[in-house]
Amino acid sequence: MFKKASNDYWENTWRQELATQSTMKCLQVQHPVVDNPHNLWKSTRPKKHEVQRAEIKARLITGTFILQTNAMKYNKSEVSATCKLCGSDNETKEHLLGSCSALSQIREENITRLKDILSDDNIFTTITQDSGMLIQIILDCTHSSLKDHVILSREQETDIERWSQAYCERLITHRAQIIRSK
Ligand SMILES: [Zn+2]
């Protein structure tokens, strides 16, 4: 019941956002939408912790997870867009997921799992050498822009989605720990 309501909420939010915002380009919208939830929700089992992870991921995709760049947009002069973790770049979702130097250890620890799921070293290398492609596979591995480079089985799509949700959760948890300790 909760899962169904959650699906409807996010599918509606995504469709509205896609119509107006360039930040949503990373998201593949389902056709048809009815009874065909996005891979993010299809891969999420109805367990509390998994649903929480899926929500974190959904908020990152939609830009409703407050990173420094969003915080700055809402509070213009008072907040800096600079990443509080590394201090060397603006904190966008791309920075958080793919390039923040303060999170490089977590990134390295987690990326091996993606390599296992893909089980093709050439495809893994192609994806990880292109930061745009890597971010895309983390945010939404079902996106049509990836089809020229990698054909994923249904099982791989599920595994990558579950992996990415756990990865995002670890990044966000570590980020909060660093910020709290400063
Ligand atoms: Zn950073």
Side-chain angles (χ1 to χ4, degrees):
M1 185 62 196
F2 169 74
K3 192 159 176 264
K4 177 78 176 76
S6 192
N7 284 349
D8 291 348
Y9 168 75
W10 286 106
E11 289 289 349
N12 285 328
T13 306
W14 283 348
R15 254 172 302 133
Q16 285 166 12
E17 296 271 324
L18 268 168
T20 53
Q21 292 198 7
S22 61
T23 51
M24 293 293 288
K25 276 188 298 204
C26 59
L27 189 75
Q28 186 68 42
V29 167
Q30 304 308 107
H31 302 287
V33 173
V34 177
D35 291 333
N36 183 22
H38 188 272
N39 188 43
L40 189 153
W41 301 110
K42 249 190 287 201
S43 307
T44 304
R45 288 163 288 212
K47 295 179 187 167
K48 193 171 174 225
H49 190 212
E50 290 204 20
V51 173
Q52 281 170 346
R53 274 182 178 170
E55 296 264 358
I56 291 174
K57 173 91 182 282
R59 285 168 60 204
L60 272 174
I61 292 174
T62 52
T64 51
F65 191 96
I66 301 297
L67 298 169
Q68 293 307 116
T69 43
N70 319 103
M72 190 199 67
K73 263 188 234 161
Y74 298 119
N75 305 281
K76 293 214 178 336
S77 57
E78 291 147 52
V79 180
S80 162
T82 305
C83 174
K84 284 185 180 174
L85 279 53
C86 67
S88 64
D89 212 339
N90 286 352
E91 192 189 37
T92 59
K93 61 176 176 257
E94 291 79 8
H95 176 78
L96 178 87
L97 298 174
S99 62
C100 180
S101 59
L103 300 169
S104 57
Q105 197 188 332
I106 294 182
R107 199 168 298 120
E108 279 164 32
E109 286 166 8
N110 282 271
I111 207 82
T112 52
R113 173 73 186 126
L114 178 63
K115 191 176 186 175
D116 293 343
I117 298 169
L118 291 168
S119 66
D120 181 320
D121 286 359
N122 290 333
I123 290 174
F124 177 74
T125 305
T126 304
I127 288 170
T128 48
Q129 280 177 350
D130 180 323
S131 63
M133 221 189 290
L134 179 60
I135 300 294
Q136 183 60 66
I137 208 161
I138 294 169
L139 290 176
D140 183 0
C141 69
T142 65
H143 199 271
S144 57
S145 67
L146 293 167
K147 302 278 186 241
D148 289 343
H149 308 279
V150 53
I151 301 296
L152 300 168
S153 67
R154 186 69 209 102
E155 196 184 353
Q156 283 174 313
E157 287 179 349
T158 303
D159 287 348
I160 291 174
E161 182 54 42
R162 287 183 184 154
W163 162 77
S164 82
Q165 290 182 17
Y167 173 53
C168 289
E169 185 190 41
R170 276 188 205 119
L171 290 174
I172 291 299
T173 305
H174 195 68
R175 174 186 183 272
Q177 282 166 354
I178 296 177
I179 291 173
R180 261 203 309 273
S181 69
K182 286 198 172 179

